[in-house]
Amino acid sequence: MRELFLDTVELTDQAGTTRRFDYSILIGEMDVGAFACESYGVKVAEQGGAQASVENITCSASRIDELSGLLVRNRVAPASLRDVVSDWL
């Protein structure tokens, strides 16, 4: 599995603490019948904190680009990643 770094987003939470999230696309392979295709997933990691990832979401580069842009724009935290991906699917 390879990891393609996308962006780091910095925000201040309600307690006034600055938090930084790193967003990445995960690139792997998924068996599809008699052949394998490149598959994409996403990862969100808080610097110095929790991280979450979802692998094999899609085989479409344009779809993972759409999803990853959504995650970055909305500053999705690791704790919310699976719910957001589930809703997006």
Side-chain angles (χ1 to χ4, degrees), residues 19 21 23 42 44 46 50-54 67 70-71 74-88:
R19 300 172 73 183
F21 298 112
Y23 297 86
V42 290
V44 180
E46 183 173 3
Q51 68 178 21
S53 62
V54 181
L67 174 60
L70 174 84
L71 297 174
N74 290 288
R75 300 174 176 189
V76 173
S80 304
L81 180 63
R82 288 196 180 277
D83 289 335
V84 171
V85 170
S86 179
D87 289 346
W88 182 80

Side-chain angles (χ1 to χ4, degrees), residues 5-7 14-15 27 32 36 42 49 52-53 57 64 67-68 81 85:
F5 174 77
L6 291 174
D7 201 357
Q14 293 175 343
I27 304 166
V32 183
V42 290
S53 62
I57 297 170
I64 204 64
L67 174 60
S68 61
L81 180 63
V85 170

